[in-house]
Amino acid sequence: MNLKQLSQHLGISQTTISRALNGYPEVNAETRRKIIEAAQKTGYRPNVAAQRLATGKMGSIGLVMPTGPDYQSDVHFGEFLSGLGEASARNGFHLVIMPTDPANEENALKELAVSGSVDGIYLAYMKKNDPRIEMIKGLSIPFMVHGRSWGVETDYPFLDVDNETAFRDATSLLLQLGHRNIALLNGPEGYDFTFRRHRGVEAALTEQGYALRQDNVSHSIMNDEAGFLKMEELLSHADRPTAIICASTALALGAVRSLNHRGLKPGRDISLIAHDDVLPLLKPVNFSVPLTTTRSSLRAAGLRIAERLINQIKSGKPDTQQELWKAELVVRGSTGPAQS
């Protein structure tokens, strides 16, 4: 059955049927239900090419993915991408990924935006004073930002985790347990989320009259190997920290391996807190000593961002919402009183 036949069958215009099946909000719920049921019963499938010609939309959202021989893959981005893809598929949208050299991100973003191959763009890997936000605001294409950019006015649609408060809360817990010499294994330097996490740790210590020692702070990619090497450096200090905060469970995996190597137990000899992005293969409860974490799902963030971006595309209305998720502090066995 084609669109014209379905229209005659229902006594509803072809335009209304198309808008109902494409999720446009102005079609009332009862009419939409009737159209969807009829389409399912008759086996009607929209002609994608005709839809694109009629609406001027490609049914795609896009993103630029930095990659290259010296650029390591990121398990965290993969989990976010799963959520983004799930929501896209649910709404009948394609996901267009444009790989590029990290040094060419801005040009690649412009190219993707003006190519006509996508209806909207998702921005990732936000940095402090990130110039891409002003640039994309001038490109007249729907967009969504995952994270924020310190130093740039927040007049753009975003979804972010409150990283500063999460790491402030984690540090406050350690202070309550008597820890004063606290270290931070942070993610790569220059990114907005690592900057805010550093601020959170520093703020909690300052509030209680203590300071974050610079030799207790490290920046690295967030994987097992980096966690092991950075923890080894910390444990080699004459005045080694009594508590560590890790920017991810991937870093924590390596940090725990270092502790095990030295016969030290998390929660007894050294307290450990990690940020949990809810990665399926790195569950905090499955560590030898279950990890205390600040928890916020990357997959859920991907779902939400895709839904908001697709809604902009379908409705033709800009998204002005600024969404800040609070991470949940989950206390487990890896934190305990400071050893006297």
Side-chain angles (χ1 to χ4, degrees):
M1 180 174 283
N2 60 33
L3 179 59
K4 182 178 180 181
Q5 290 169 326
L6 183 61
S7 172
Q8 292 170 342
H9 172 70
L10 289 172
I12 297 173
S13 74
Q14 295 180 41
T15 301
T16 300
I17 291 172
S18 293
R19 298 186 77 79
L21 294 176
N22 280 292
Y24 286 89
E26 63 268 24
V27 180
N28 72 60
E30 178 57 28
T31 301
R32 188 189 309 278
R33 183 195 61 77
K34 183 178 178 182
I35 290 169
I36 291 172
E37 284 183 359
Q40 289 171 343
K41 287 178 182 177
T42 60
Y44 170 73
R45 292 289 181 274
N47 183 308
V48 176
Q51 278 186 321
R52 289 173 179 171
L53 284 171
T55 64
K57 293 184 171 63
M58 300 301 294
S60 301
I61 59 174
L63 63 122
V64 169
M65 184 177 76
T67 187
D70 299 321
Y71 200 87
Q72 297 203 27
S73 61
D74 185 356
V75 65
H76 306 85
F77 179 69
E79 184 62 10
F80 182 88
L81 198 61
S82 294
L84 203 67
E86 182 183 332
S88 299
R90 185 187 301 162
N91 286 276
F93 269 65
H94 295 151
L95 191 56
V96 176
I97 300 175
M98 185 175 189
T100 189
D101 185 283
N104 193 46
E105 272 192 78
E106 284 190 59
N107 287 333
L109 190 62
K110 288 179 186 175
E111 187 180 329
L112 182 61
V114 303
S115 67
S117 61
V118 297
D119 304 308
I121 288 179
Y122 143 72
L123 278 184
Y125 304 106
M126 303 311 298
K127 296 176 180 162
K128 292 168 58 182
N129 300 299
D130 201 314
R132 295 176 299 163
I133 292 176
E134 285 304 314
M135 183 194 72
I136 199 166
K137 281 162 61 177
L139 293 177
S140 301
I141 188 170
F143 71 97
M144 268 291 300
V145 177
H146 182 214
R148 287 171 288 170
S149 177
W150 185 274
V152 177
E153 185 181 353
T154 50
D155 59 349
Y156 50 88
F158 69 76
L159 184 152
D160 195 12
V161 176
D162 191 346
N163 287 293
E164 186 170 340
T165 298
F167 277 58
R168 187 171 186 155
D169 290 347
T171 308
S172 295
L173 171 64
L174 294 172
L175 288 166
Q176 290 167 22
L177 290 168
H179 295 279
R180 303 295 178 257
N181 189 358
I182 298 170
L184 171 64
L185 299 188
N186 211 345
E189 197 164 12
Y191 288 100
D192 181 87
F193 78 93
T194 57
F195 173 72
R196 292 180 193 269
R197 289 175 182 183
H198 185 282
R199 278 176 58 90
V201 175
E202 203 165 43
L205 283 165
T206 302
E207 194 174 76
Q208 296 298 317
Y210 304 104
L212 178 60
R213 286 170 27 187
Q214 287 312 300
D215 61 343
N216 274 350
V217 179
S218 66
H219 292 274
S220 69
I221 58 173
M222 297 190 294
N223 64 17
D224 167 77
E225 181 183 11
F228 177 83
L229 294 174
K230 295 301 181 181
M231 181 60 105
E232 286 286 291
E233 288 178 20
L234 287 173
L235 295 179
S236 69
H237 292 178
D239 181 22
R240 74 185 187 195
T242 64
I244 318 288
I245 303 175
C246 296
S248 78
T249 50
L251 279 170
L253 185 65
V256 169
R257 186 157 57 89
S258 171
L259 294 177
N260 291 341
H261 180 68
R262 293 169 179 257
L264 300 173
K265 183 177 179 181
R268 182 192 67 192
D269 303 302
I270 289 185
S271 285
L272 192 67
I273 298 178
H275 182 70
D276 176 23
D277 291 302
V278 195
L279 305 176
L281 298 179
L282 274 178
K283 294 184 181 296
V285 293
N286 292 340
F287 278 66
S288 54
V289 176
L291 284 181
T292 294
T293 59
T294 55
R295 180 172 64 191
S296 184
S297 169
L298 268 175
R299 187 183 184 95
L303 276 162
R304 176 63 178 155
I305 282 176
E307 287 169 353
R308 285 181 57 186
L309 182 54
I310 290 168
N311 186 59
Q312 280 190 73
I313 294 163
K314 287 183 173 181
S315 68
K317 298 175 182 176
D319 186 333
T320 58
Q321 187 177 358
Q322 296 164 345
E323 206 167 341
L324 191 61
W325 286 5
K326 182 172 173 58
E328 179 186 6
L329 180 62
V330 183
V331 180
R332 301 188 181 92
S334 69
T335 44
Q339 296 298 307
S340 56

